[in-house]
């Protein structure tokens, strides 16, 4: 059964690092929304006379957010349709709140959650302070808006509940506060490819 696994969570949680670590182990393709959208976002923001490194303002969201998710999902669905397992990385804040979103996406390739094994890994940290530390440590220009507007931005880091019609065994809340160990990676692998463990 084809696997479509979403690694979602706030900035700095390590969702991309986690997805890539498991993907290397199991030879699975990864699509990161930040990577897919970056060239278009830079062009659109520049054309609008806005900061091309901004990834969080209302202006950015109006111009680029939905495009980013569309590009990401089109690429992921094309591979799923070709029987390739996919790991997809991104915040997916609005999407995980919409009960019908995943079924609507899969319907575009004539599929559903009954013939695609959809799983969601919510990558979390123990508190906002650790998010702030990790974002600051990685030193990316794209993160400056987050740091400059931390009080407003950090509100998006609250724990979310998935609204999609998936079994609880298909959803994992993964605490990534500590360094990733081989044992924790194995537990994540078991969740995605075998017996699910909800306490990594």
């Amino acid at each position: 059964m084809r696997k479509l696994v979403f690694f979602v969570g706030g900035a700095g949680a390590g969702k991309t690092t986690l997805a890539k670590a498991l993907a290397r182990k199991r030879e699975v393709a990864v699509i990161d929304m930040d990577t897919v959208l970056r060239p278009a976002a830079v062009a659109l923001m520049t054309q609008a006379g806005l900061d091309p490194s901004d990834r969080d303002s209302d202006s950015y969201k109006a111009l680029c957010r939905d495009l980013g998710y569309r590009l990401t999902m089109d690429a992921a669905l094309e591979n799923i349709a070709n029987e390739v397992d996919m790991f997809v990385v991104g915040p997916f804040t609005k999407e995980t709140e919409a009960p019908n979103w995943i079924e609507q996406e899969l319907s575009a390739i004539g599929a559903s959650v009954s013939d695609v094994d959809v799983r969601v890994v919510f990558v979390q940290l123990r508190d906002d302070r650790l998010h702030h530390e990790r974002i600051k440590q990685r030193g990316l220009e794209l993160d400056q808006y987050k740091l400059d507007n931390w009080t407003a931005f950090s509100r998006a880091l609250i724990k979310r509940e998935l609204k999609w019609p998936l079994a609880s065994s298909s959803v994992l809340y993964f605490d990534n506060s500590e360094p990733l160990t081989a044992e924790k990676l194995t537990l994540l692998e078991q969740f995605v490819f075998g017996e699910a463990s909800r306490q990594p």
Side-chain angles (χ1 to χ4, degrees), residues 9 24 30 38 41 54 58 61-62 66 70 76 80 84 97 122 131 133 147 149 152 165 174 181 185 199:
R24 280 192 298 270
V30 178
R38 187 172 297 128
D54 171 14
D58 290 341
K61 291 173 182 175
D66 290 347
R70 187 69 271 138
I80 289 291
V84 177
E97 292 289 325
F122 282 99
H131 277 279
E133 288 175 5
L147 296 173
N149 299 272
F174 189 96
T181 63
L185 186 60
Q199 297 294 330

Side-chain angles (χ1 to χ4, degrees), residues 188-200:
L188 178 62
E189 182 179 20
Q190 289 172 348
F191 165 73
V192 174
F193 295 99
E195 286 293 321
S197 174
R198 296 181 63 79
Q199 297 294 330

Side-chain angles (χ1 to χ4, degrees), residues 4-58:
L4 176 58
V5 184
F6 293 86
F7 289 78
V8 305
K15 53 189 178 291
T16 301
T17 300
L18 199 61
K20 287 182 176 179
L22 184 56
R24 280 192 298 270
K25 188 173 182 181
R26 296 297 295 246
E27 298 184 349
V28 176
V30 178
I31 293 181
D32 187 334
M33 192 191 74
D34 285 345
T35 303
V36 171
L37 177 59
R38 187 172 297 128
V42 169
L44 288 170
M45 294 293 281
T46 300
Q47 288 173 3
L50 301 168
D51 181 0
S53 64
D54 171 14
R55 293 295 181 276
D56 293 282
S57 70
D58 290 341

